[in-house]
Structures are given as structure tokens and as C-alpha cells.
Coordinates of all heavy atoms in Angstrom, one line a residue:
M1 N 33.8 -19.2 -15.1 CA 33.9 -17.9 -14.6 C 33.0 -16.9 -15.5 O 32.5 -16.1 -14.9 CB 35.4 -17.6 -14.6 CG 35.6 -16.1 -13.9 SD 37.4 -16.1 -13.6 CE 37.6 -14.3 -13.9
G2 N 33.0 -17.2 -16.8 CA 32.3 -16.3 -17.7 C 30.8 -16.3 -17.4 O 30.1 -15.4 -17.7
A3 N 30.2 -17.4 -17.0 CA 28.8 -17.6 -16.8 C 28.3 -16.5 -15.8 O 27.4 -15.8 -16.0 CB 28.3 -18.9 -16.5
W4 N 29.0 -16.6 -14.6 CA 28.5 -15.7 -13.5 C 28.8 -14.3 -13.8 O 28.1 -13.3 -13.5 CB 29.0 -16.1 -12.1 CG 30.4 -16.0 -11.9 CD1 31.3 -17.1 -12.0 CD2 31.3 -15.0 -11.6 NE1 32.5 -16.8 -11.7 CE2 32.6 -15.4 -11.5 CE3 31.1 -13.6 -11.5 CZ2 33.6 -14.6 -11.3 CZ3 32.1 -12.7 -11.2 CH2 33.4 -13.3 -11.1
R5 N 29.8 -13.9 -14.5 CA 30.2 -12.5 -14.9 C 29.2 -12.0 -15.8 O 28.7 -10.9 -15.7 CB 31.7 -12.5 -15.6 CG 32.0 -11.2 -15.9 CD 33.4 -11.0 -16.5 NE 34.3 -12.0 -15.9 CZ 35.3 -12.4 -16.6 NH1 35.6 -12.0 -17.8 NH2 36.2 -13.2 -16.0
D6 N 28.7 -12.8 -16.8 CA 27.8 -12.4 -17.9 C 26.4 -12.2 -17.2 O 25.6 -11.3 -17.7 CB 27.7 -13.3 -19.0 CG 29.0 -13.4 -19.8 OD1 29.7 -12.4 -19.7 OD2 29.2 -14.4 -20.5
M7 N 26.0 -13.0 -16.3 CA 24.7 -12.9 -15.7 C 24.7 -11.8 -14.7 O 23.5 -11.4 -14.3 CB 24.4 -14.3 -15.0 CG 24.1 -15.4 -16.1 SD 24.0 -17.0 -15.4 CE 23.2 -16.9 -13.8
G8 N 25.7 -11.2 -14.2 CA 25.7 -10.2 -13.2 C 25.1 -10.6 -11.9 O 24.6 -9.7 -11.2
K9 N 25.2 -11.8 -11.4 CA 24.5 -12.3 -10.2 C 25.4 -12.2 -9.0 O 25.0 -12.1 -7.9 CB 24.0 -13.8 -10.4 CG 23.0 -13.9 -11.5 CD 21.6 -14.3 -11.0 CE 20.7 -14.4 -12.2 NZ 19.4 -14.1 -11.9
V10 N 26.7 -12.4 -9.2 CA 27.6 -12.3 -8.0 C 27.9 -10.8 -7.6 O 28.3 -10.0 -8.3 CB 28.9 -13.0 -8.4 CG1 30.0 -12.9 -7.3 CG2 28.6 -14.4 -8.8
R11 N 27.7 -10.8 -6.3 CA 28.0 -9.3 -5.8 C 29.2 -9.5 -4.7 O 29.8 -8.5 -4.5 CB 26.7 -8.8 -5.0 CG 25.6 -8.4 -5.9 CD 24.5 -8.0 -5.2 NE 23.8 -9.2 -4.7 CZ 22.6 -9.3 -4.1 NH1 22.0 -8.1 -3.8 NH2 22.1 -10.4 -3.7
A12 N 29.5 -10.6 -4.2 CA 30.6 -10.8 -3.3 C 31.1 -12.3 -3.5 O 30.3 -13.2 -3.6 CB 30.1 -10.5 -1.9
L13 N 32.3 -12.5 -3.2 CA 32.8 -13.9 -3.2 C 34.1 -13.9 -2.3 O 34.6 -12.9 -1.9 CB 33.2 -14.3 -4.5 CG 34.3 -13.6 -5.4 CD1 35.6 -14.1 -5.1 CD2 33.9 -13.7 -6.9
G14 N 34.4 -15.0 -2.0 CA 35.6 -15.2 -1.1 C 36.6 -16.3 -1.7 O 36.1 -17.1 -2.6
I15 N 37.8 -16.2 -1.3 CA 38.8 -17.2 -1.7 C 39.4 -17.9 -0.5 O 39.3 -17.3 0.6 CB 39.8 -16.6 -2.6 CG1 40.5 -15.4 -2.0 CG2 39.2 -16.1 -4.0 CD1 41.6 -14.7 -2.9
S16 N 40.0 -19.0 -0.7 CA 40.5 -19.7 0.4 C 42.0 -20.3 -0.1 O 42.2 -20.8 -1.1 CB 39.6 -21.0 0.7 OG 40.2 -21.7 1.8
N17 N 42.9 -20.1 0.9 CA 44.2 -20.5 0.7 C 45.0 -20.0 -0.5 O 45.9 -20.7 -1.0 CB 44.3 -22.1 0.7 CG 43.8 -22.7 2.0 OD1 44.0 -22.2 3.1 ND2 43.1 -23.7 1.9
F18 N 44.7 -18.8 -0.9 CA 45.4 -18.0 -1.9 C 46.6 -17.3 -1.3 O 47.0 -16.3 -2.0 CB 44.6 -17.2 -2.8 CG 43.9 -18.0 -3.9 CD1 42.7 -18.6 -3.7 CD2 44.4 -18.0 -5.2 CE1 42.1 -19.4 -4.6 CE2 43.8 -18.7 -6.2 CZ 42.6 -19.4 -5.9
D19 N 47.1 -17.7 -0.1 CA 48.2 -17.1 0.5 C 49.5 -17.6 0.1 O 50.5 -17.0 0.3 CB 48.0 -17.0 2.0 CG 47.8 -18.5 2.5 OD1 47.2 -19.3 1.8 OD2 48.3 -18.6 3.5
V20 N 49.6 -18.8 -0.5 CA 50.9 -19.4 -0.9 C 51.4 -18.9 -2.2 O 52.6 -18.8 -2.4 CB 50.6 -21.0 -0.8 CG1 51.9 -21.7 -1.3 CG2 50.1 -21.5 0.5
N21 N 50.5 -18.7 -3.1 CA 50.9 -18.5 -4.5 C 50.6 -16.9 -4.8 O 49.5 -16.6 -5.2 CB 50.2 -19.4 -5.4 CG 50.6 -19.3 -6.9 OD1 51.3 -18.2 -7.3 ND2 50.7 -20.3 -7.7
D22 N 51.5 -16.1 -4.8 CA 51.4 -14.6 -5.1 C 51.0 -14.5 -6.5 O 50.1 -13.6 -6.7 CB 52.7 -14.0 -4.9 CG 53.0 -13.6 -3.4 OD1 52.1 -13.7 -2.5 OD2 54.2 -13.4 -3.1
E23 N 51.4 -15.3 -7.4 CA 51.0 -15.2 -8.8 C 49.6 -15.4 -9.0 O 48.9 -14.6 -9.6 CB 51.9 -16.1 -9.6 CG 51.7 -15.9 -11.2 CD 52.4 -16.9 -12.0 OE1 53.6 -17.2 -11.6 OE2 52.0 -17.3 -13.1
A24 N 49.0 -16.4 -8.4 CA 47.6 -16.7 -8.5 C 46.7 -15.6 -7.9 O 45.8 -15.2 -8.3 CB 47.3 -18.0 -7.8
F25 N 47.2 -15.0 -6.6 CA 46.4 -14.0 -6.0 C 46.4 -12.8 -6.8 O 45.5 -12.2 -7.0 CB 47.2 -13.8 -4.7 CG 46.5 -12.6 -3.9 CD1 45.4 -12.8 -3.2 CD2 47.1 -11.3 -4.0 CE1 44.6 -11.7 -2.6 CE2 46.3 -10.3 -3.3 CZ 45.2 -10.5 -2.6
E26 N 47.6 -12.4 -7.5 CA 47.7 -11.2 -8.2 C 46.8 -11.4 -9.5 O 46.2 -10.4 -10.0 CB 49.1 -10.9 -8.7 CG 50.0 -10.5 -7.5 CD 49.5 -9.3 -6.7 OE1 48.9 -8.3 -7.3 OE2 49.7 -9.3 -5.5
K27 N 46.8 -12.5 -10.1 CA 46.0 -12.8 -11.2 C 44.4 -12.6 -11.0 O 43.7 -12.0 -11.8 CB 46.1 -14.2 -11.8 CG 45.4 -14.4 -13.1 CD 45.8 -15.8 -13.7 CE 45.0 -16.1 -14.9 NZ 45.8 -16.5 -16.0
I28 N 44.0 -13.2 -9.7 CA 42.7 -12.8 -9.4 C 42.4 -11.4 -9.3 O 41.3 -11.0 -9.7 CB 42.3 -13.6 -8.1 CG1 42.4 -15.1 -8.3 CG2 41.1 -13.2 -7.5 CD1 42.3 -15.9 -6.9
M29 N 43.3 -10.7 -8.6 CA 43.1 -9.3 -8.4 C 43.1 -8.4 -9.7 O 42.2 -7.5 -9.7 CB 44.1 -8.7 -7.4 CG 44.1 -9.4 -6.0 SD 42.5 -9.5 -5.2 CE 41.9 -7.8 -5.1
I30 N 43.7 -8.9 -10.7 CA 43.8 -8.2 -11.9 C 42.7 -8.5 -12.9 O 42.1 -7.6 -13.4 CB 45.1 -8.3 -12.7 CG1 46.3 -7.7 -11.8 CG2 45.1 -7.9 -14.0 CD1 47.7 -8.2 -12.3
E31 N 42.3 -9.8 -12.9 CA 41.4 -10.2 -13.9 C 39.9 -10.3 -13.4 O 39.1 -10.3 -14.2 CB 41.8 -11.6 -14.5 CG 43.1 -11.5 -15.2 CD 43.6 -12.8 -15.8 OE1 42.8 -13.8 -15.9 OE2 44.7 -12.9 -16.3
S32 N 39.6 -10.4 -12.1 CA 38.3 -10.4 -11.7 C 37.5 -9.1 -11.7 O 38.0 -8.2 -11.2 CB 38.3 -11.0 -10.3 OG 38.8 -12.3 -10.2
R33 N 36.3 -9.2 -12.2 CA 35.5 -8.0 -12.0 C 35.0 -7.8 -10.7 O 34.8 -6.7 -10.2 CB 34.2 -8.1 -13.1 CG 34.7 -7.9 -14.5 CD 33.6 -7.8 -15.5 NE 32.2 -7.2 -15.0 CZ 31.1 -7.5 -15.5 NH1 31.0 -8.3 -16.5 NH2 30.1 -6.8 -15.1
V34 N 34.6 -9.0 -10.1 CA 34.2 -9.0 -8.6 C 35.3 -9.4 -7.8 O 35.7 -10.5 -7.9 CB 33.0 -9.9 -8.5 CG1 32.5 -9.9 -7.0 CG2 31.9 -9.5 -9.3
K35 N 35.8 -8.5 -7.0 CA 37.1 -8.7 -6.2 C 36.6 -9.5 -4.9 O 35.5 -9.4 -4.4 CB 37.7 -7.4 -5.9 CG 38.1 -6.5 -6.9 CD 39.0 -7.1 -7.9 CE 39.3 -6.2 -9.0 NZ 39.9 -6.8 -10.2
P36 N 37.5 -10.4 -4.5 CA 37.2 -11.2 -3.2 C 37.0 -10.3 -2.1 O 37.8 -9.2 -1.9 CB 38.5 -12.0 -3.0 CG 39.2 -12.0 -4.4 CD 38.9 -10.8 -5.0
A37 N 36.0 -10.6 -1.2 CA 35.8 -9.8 0.0 C 36.4 -10.5 1.1 O 36.7 -9.8 2.2 CB 34.2 -9.7 0.2
V38 N 36.7 -11.7 1.1 CA 37.2 -12.5 2.2 C 38.2 -13.5 1.6 O 38.2 -14.0 0.6 CB 36.0 -13.3 2.9 CG1 36.7 -14.2 4.1 CG2 35.0 -12.4 3.4
L39 N 39.3 -13.6 2.5 CA 40.4 -14.7 2.2 C 40.4 -15.5 3.5 O 40.6 -15.0 4.6 CB 41.7 -14.0 2.0 CG 42.8 -14.9 2.0 CD1 42.8 -16.0 0.8 CD2 44.3 -14.2 1.8
Q40 N 40.2 -16.7 3.3 CA 40.2 -17.8 4.3 C 41.5 -18.5 4.4 O 41.9 -19.1 3.4 CB 39.0 -18.8 4.3 CG 39.0 -19.7 5.4 CD 37.9 -20.8 5.2 OE1 37.8 -21.4 4.2 NE2 37.2 -21.0 6.3
I41 N 42.2 -18.4 5.4 CA 43.5 -19.0 5.7 C 43.7 -19.5 7.0 O 42.8 -19.2 7.9 CB 44.7 -17.9 5.3 CG1 44.6 -16.8 6.4 CG2 44.6 -17.6 4.0 CD1 45.7 -15.8 6.3
E42 N 44.6 -20.4 7.1 CA 45.0 -20.8 8.5 C 45.6 -19.8 9.3 O 46.6 -19.1 8.8 CB 46.0 -22.0 8.5 CG 46.5 -22.5 9.8 CD 47.5 -23.7 9.8 OE1 47.9 -24.0 8.7 OE2 47.9 -24.1 10.9
C43 N 45.0 -19.5 10.4 CA 45.5 -18.3 11.2 C 45.1 -18.6 12.6 O 43.9 -18.9 12.9 CB 44.8 -17.0 10.6 SG 45.4 -15.5 11.4
H44 N 46.1 -18.5 13.6 CA 45.8 -18.7 15.1 C 47.0 -18.1 15.8 O 47.9 -17.5 15.2 CB 45.7 -20.2 15.3 CG 46.6 -21.1 14.6 ND1 47.9 -21.2 15.0 CD2 46.5 -21.9 13.5 CE1 48.5 -22.0 14.2 NE2 47.7 -22.4 13.4
S45 N 47.0 -18.3 17.0 CA 48.0 -17.7 17.9 C 49.4 -18.3 17.6 O 50.4 -17.5 17.7 CB 47.8 -18.2 19.3 OG 46.5 -17.7 19.8
Y46 N 49.6 -19.4 16.9 CA 50.8 -20.0 16.5 C 51.2 -19.7 15.1 O 52.4 -20.0 14.7 CB 50.9 -21.3 16.9 CG 50.6 -21.7 18.3 CD1 49.3 -22.0 18.7 CD2 51.6 -21.5 19.3 CE1 49.1 -22.4 20.0 CE2 51.4 -21.8 20.6 CZ 50.0 -22.2 20.9 OH 49.8 -22.3 22.3
A47 N 50.4 -19.1 14.4 CA 50.6 -18.7 13.0 C 49.7 -17.4 12.7 O 48.6 -17.7 12.1 CB 50.3 -19.9 12.0
Q48 N 50.1 -16.4 13.1 CA 49.3 -15.1 13.0 C 49.3 -14.6 11.6 O 48.4 -13.7 11.3 CB 49.8 -14.1 14.0 CG 49.7 -14.6 15.4 CD 50.1 -13.6 16.4 OE1 50.1 -12.4 16.1 NE2 50.5 -14.1 17.6
R49 N 50.1 -14.9 10.7 CA 50.1 -14.6 9.2 C 50.0 -13.1 9.0 O 49.1 -12.6 8.3 CB 48.9 -15.2 8.6 CG 48.8 -16.8 9.0 CD 49.9 -17.6 8.6 NE 50.1 -17.6 7.2 CZ 49.4 -18.3 6.3 NH1 48.4 -19.2 6.8 NH2 49.6 -18.1 5.0
L50 N 50.8 -12.3 9.8 CA 50.8 -10.9 9.6 C 51.1 -10.4 8.2 O 50.6 -9.3 7.8 CB 51.9 -10.3 10.7 CG 51.6 -10.6 12.1 CD1 52.6 -10.0 13.0 CD2 50.3 -10.3 12.6
A51 N 52.1 -11.0 7.5 CA 52.4 -10.6 6.2 C 51.2 -10.7 5.2 O 51.1 -9.7 4.5 CB 53.7 -11.3 5.6
I52 N 50.5 -11.7 5.2 CA 49.4 -11.8 4.3 C 48.3 -11.0 4.7 O 47.5 -10.4 3.9 CB 48.9 -13.4 4.2 CG1 47.9 -13.3 3.1 CG2 48.2 -13.8 5.4 CD1 48.4 -13.3 1.7
R53 N 48.1 -10.7 6.0 CA 47.1 -9.8 6.4 C 47.3 -8.4 6.0 O 46.5 -7.6 5.5 CB 47.0 -9.9 8.0 CG 46.4 -11.1 8.5 CD 46.6 -11.6 9.8 NE 45.9 -10.7 10.7 CZ 45.9 -10.9 12.0 NH1 46.8 -11.6 12.6 NH2 45.3 -10.0 12.9
D54 N 48.7 -8.0 6.1 CA 49.2 -6.6 5.5 C 48.9 -6.6 4.0 O 48.6 -5.5 3.4 CB 50.6 -6.4 5.8 CG 50.8 -6.0 7.3 OD1 49.8 -5.8 8.0 OD2 51.8 -6.2 7.8
K55 N 49.2 -7.7 3.4 CA 49.0 -7.7 1.9 C 47.6 -7.5 1.3 O 47.5 -6.8 0.3 CB 49.6 -9.1 1.3 CG 49.5 -9.2 -0.1 CD 50.0 -10.6 -0.6 CE 49.9 -10.9 -2.0 NZ 50.4 -12.2 -2.4
V56 N 46.7 -8.1 2.0 CA 45.3 -7.9 1.5 C 44.6 -6.7 2.0 O 43.5 -6.3 1.6 CB 44.5 -9.1 1.8 CG1 45.1 -10.4 1.3 CG2 44.3 -9.3 3.3
K57 N 45.1 -6.1 3.0 CA 44.7 -4.8 3.6 C 44.2 -3.7 2.6 O 43.1 -3.2 2.6 CB 45.3 -4.3 4.7 CG 44.7 -3.3 5.6 CD 45.7 -2.7 6.7 CE 45.4 -3.7 7.9 NZ 46.2 -3.1 9.0
P58 N 45.2 -3.4 1.6 CA 44.9 -2.4 0.7 C 43.8 -2.6 -0.2 O 43.1 -1.8 -0.8 CB 46.2 -2.2 -0.1 CG 47.3 -2.8 0.7 CD 46.6 -3.9 1.6
Y59 N 43.5 -4.0 -0.5 CA 42.3 -4.4 -1.2 C 41.0 -4.3 -0.5 O 39.9 -4.6 -1.2 CB 42.6 -5.7 -1.9 CG 43.8 -5.9 -2.6 CD1 45.0 -6.3 -2.2 CD2 43.9 -5.4 -4.0 CE1 46.0 -6.5 -3.1 CE2 44.9 -5.5 -4.7 CZ 46.1 -6.0 -4.3 OH 47.2 -6.1 -5.1
G60 N 41.0 -4.2 0.8 CA 39.8 -4.3 1.6 C 39.3 -5.7 1.9 O 38.2 -5.9 2.1
I61 N 40.2 -6.7 1.7 CA 39.8 -8.1 1.8 C 40.0 -8.4 3.2 O 40.9 -8.1 4.0 CB 40.8 -8.9 1.1 CG1 40.6 -8.7 -0.4 CG2 40.5 -10.4 1.3 CD1 41.5 -9.4 -1.3
H62 N 38.9 -9.0 3.8 CA 38.8 -9.4 5.3 C 39.4 -10.8 5.4 O 39.2 -11.7 4.4 CB 37.5 -9.3 5.8 CG 36.8 -8.0 5.8 ND1 37.2 -7.1 6.9 CD2 36.1 -7.4 5.0 CE1 36.6 -6.1 6.6 NE2 35.9 -6.1 5.4
I63 N 40.2 -11.1 6.4 CA 40.7 -12.4 6.7 C 39.8 -13.2 7.6 O 39.3 -12.6 8.6 CB 42.0 -12.3 7.4 CG1 43.1 -11.7 6.6 CG2 42.6 -13.7 7.9 CD1 43.6 -12.5 5.3
T64 N 39.5 -14.4 7.2 CA 38.8 -15.3 8.1 C 39.6 -16.5 8.3 O 40.3 -17.0 7.4 CB 37.4 -15.7 7.5 OG1 36.7 -16.4 8.5 CG2 37.5 -16.4 6.3
C65 N 39.6 -16.9 9.5 CA 40.7 -18.0 9.9 C 40.1 -19.3 10.1 O 38.9 -19.5 10.5 CB 41.4 -17.6 11.2 SG 42.2 -16.0 11.2
W66 N 40.8 -20.4 9.7 CA 40.5 -21.8 10.0 C 41.6 -22.1 11.0 O 42.8 -21.7 11.0 CB 40.3 -22.6 8.9 CG 41.4 -22.9 7.9 CD1 41.6 -22.0 6.7 CD2 42.4 -23.7 7.9 NE1 42.7 -22.6 6.1 CE2 43.2 -23.6 6.7 CE3 42.8 -24.8 8.7 CZ2 44.3 -24.3 6.4 CZ3 43.8 -25.5 8.5 CH2 44.6 -25.4 7.4
F67 N 41.3 -23.2 11.8 CA 42.3 -23.8 12.7 C 42.6 -22.8 13.8 O 43.7 -22.6 14.3 CB 43.7 -24.2 12.1 CG 44.0 -25.6 12.3 CD1 44.7 -26.3 11.4 CD2 43.5 -26.4 13.3 CE1 45.2 -27.6 11.6 CE2 44.0 -27.7 13.5 CZ 44.7 -28.3 12.5
L68 N 41.5 -22.2 14.2 CA 41.7 -21.1 15.3 C 42.2 -21.5 16.6 O 42.9 -20.7 17.2 CB 40.2 -20.5 15.6 CG 39.6 -19.8 14.5 CD1 38.1 -19.3 14.9 CD2 40.3 -18.6 14.1
L69 N 42.1 -22.8 16.9 CA 42.7 -23.2 18.2 C 44.1 -23.8 18.1 O 44.7 -24.4 18.9 CB 41.8 -24.3 18.9 CG 40.4 -23.7 19.1 CD1 39.6 -24.8 19.8 CD2 40.5 -22.6 20.0
G70 N 44.8 -23.6 16.8 CA 46.1 -23.9 16.7 C 46.5 -25.2 16.2 O 47.7 -25.4 15.8
G71 N 45.7 -26.2 16.1 CA 46.0 -27.5 15.6 C 47.3 -28.0 16.2 O 47.5 -28.0 17.4
A72 N 47.9 -28.9 15.4 CA 49.1 -29.7 15.9 C 50.3 -28.7 16.6 O 51.0 -29.0 17.4 CB 49.7 -30.5 14.9
M73 N 50.3 -27.5 15.9 CA 51.3 -26.5 16.3 C 51.3 -26.2 17.7 O 52.1 -25.8 18.4 CB 51.4 -25.4 15.5 CG 51.8 -25.7 14.0 SD 51.6 -24.3 12.9 CE 52.7 -23.2 13.4
S74 N 50.0 -26.1 18.3 CA 49.8 -25.7 19.8 C 50.1 -26.7 20.6 O 50.2 -26.4 21.8 CB 48.3 -25.4 19.8 OG 47.5 -26.5 19.9
N75 N 50.4 -27.9 20.2 CA 50.6 -29.1 21.1 C 49.6 -29.3 22.2 O 49.9 -29.7 23.4 CB 52.0 -28.9 21.7 CG 52.7 -30.3 21.9 OD1 52.3 -31.3 21.4 ND2 53.8 -30.2 22.7
G76 N 48.4 -28.8 22.0 CA 47.3 -28.9 22.9 C 47.2 -27.9 23.9 O 46.5 -27.9 24.9
A77 N 48.2 -26.9 23.9 CA 48.3 -26.0 25.0 C 47.0 -25.1 25.1 O 46.7 -24.7 26.3 CB 49.4 -25.0 24.6
L78 N 46.3 -24.8 24.1 CA 45.0 -24.1 24.2 C 44.0 -24.9 24.9 O 42.9 -24.3 25.4 CB 44.5 -23.5 22.8 CG 45.5 -22.5 22.3 CD1 45.0 -22.2 20.8 CD2 45.7 -21.3 23.1
F79 N 44.0 -26.1 25.0 CA 43.0 -27.0 25.7 C 43.5 -27.3 27.1 O 42.6 -27.9 27.7 CB 42.7 -28.2 24.8 CG 42.1 -27.9 23.4 CD1 42.9 -28.2 22.4 CD2 40.9 -27.5 23.3 CE1 42.5 -27.9 21.1 CE2 40.4 -27.2 22.0 CZ 41.3 -27.4 20.9
S80 N 44.6 -27.1 27.5 CA 45.0 -27.6 28.8 C 44.9 -26.5 29.9 O 45.2 -25.3 29.5 CB 46.4 -28.2 28.7 OG 47.3 -27.2 28.5
L81 N 44.4 -26.8 30.9 CA 44.3 -25.7 31.9 C 45.4 -26.1 33.1 O 45.5 -27.2 33.5 CB 42.9 -25.7 32.5 CG 41.8 -25.4 31.6 CD1 40.4 -25.4 32.3 CD2 41.9 -23.9 31.2
S82 N 46.0 -25.1 33.5 CA 47.0 -25.4 34.6 C 46.6 -24.7 35.9 O 46.3 -23.5 35.9 CB 48.5 -24.8 34.0 OG 49.5 -24.9 35.1
S83 N 46.8 -25.5 36.9 CA 46.5 -25.0 38.3 C 47.6 -24.0 38.7 O 47.4 -23.2 39.7 CB 46.2 -26.0 39.4 OG 47.4 -26.7 39.4
D84 N 48.7 -23.9 38.0 CA 49.9 -23.0 38.4 C 49.7 -21.6 38.0 O 50.4 -20.8 38.5 CB 51.2 -23.5 37.7 CG 51.5 -25.0 38.2 OD1 51.1 -25.4 39.2 OD2 52.3 -25.6 37.4
K85 N 48.7 -21.3 37.1 CA 48.4 -20.0 36.7 C 47.5 -19.3 37.4 O 46.5 -19.7 38.0 CB 48.1 -20.0 35.3 CG 49.2 -20.4 34.4 CD 48.9 -20.5 33.0 CE 50.0 -21.0 32.2 NZ 49.8 -21.2 30.8

């Protein structure tokens, strides 16, 4: 961490899956000179993650989602087409 800080080369960075551990997230926000611009988390129709989205909003951190199509939790619903609709 000290190398990139001393060289002044980093202008933006992102973090991934720091939604589980509040202590780790707070440490990053307190100790980092370059604050995260993006947080990548599992987020989809079946796990909208509203609390973490509200938590990072004051920091100006954008959420980017993985598992957009719902994974196992969707039970394949997003891939099936029904003629009843």
C-alpha cells in the first residue's frame, strides 16, 4: 500500500466484497488517501442490497454488481419464458 501512495500514481480504485465486514470497510475509509470509487458486490433482483447501497452513498462510492441474473437464488426464473404472460 505504501508504494503506490508514495508514487502518487493511483487516482481511482475499487474494492470488492467489503460489504460483509463493517470494520474492514471503515478502516479503508479512514486510512486510505485515495478513497474507493466503486464497490463490487453481489446484487440482483433477488438480493438488491439496499442497506449497503445506502451506506456507501454518502462517500460517493458507486455500486457495481456481479451475478446480475440472480444465480441460484433465481431458480432460473430470469431465463425462463412463459407463454402465460
Side-chain angles (χ1 to χ4, degrees):
M1 190 161 143
W4 61 262
R5 185 181 315 159
D6 294 339
M7 292 172 29
K9 302 248 181 205
V10 174
R11 290 178 281 186
L13 58 90
I15 55 178
S16 180
N17 296 325
F18 275 85
D19 56 322
V20 177
N21 187 332
D22 283 339
E23 185 177 326
F25 178 79
E26 294 302 326
K27 185 174 177 130
I28 288 170
M29 297 312 296
I30 291 168
E31 295 183 10
S32 298
R33 283 180 45 199
V34 177
K35 304 298 183 207
V38 177
L39 170 61
Q40 182 183 46
I41 58 172
E42 178 181 3
C43 186
H44 46 75
S45 299
Y46 303 98
Q48 295 182 22
R49 314 300 299 280
L50 300 177
I52 189 67
R53 291 161 71 182
D54 287 340
K55 178 180 175 178
V56 301
K57 189 181 276 186
Y59 297 104
I61 297 173
H62 297 278
I63 297 290
T64 183
C65 302
W66 60 267
F67 237 154
L68 292 175
L69 299 177
M73 295 169 66
S74 74
N75 213 15
L78 295 175
F79 294 110
S80 63
L81 297 175
S82 174
S83 60
D84 297 339
K85 294 180 182 176

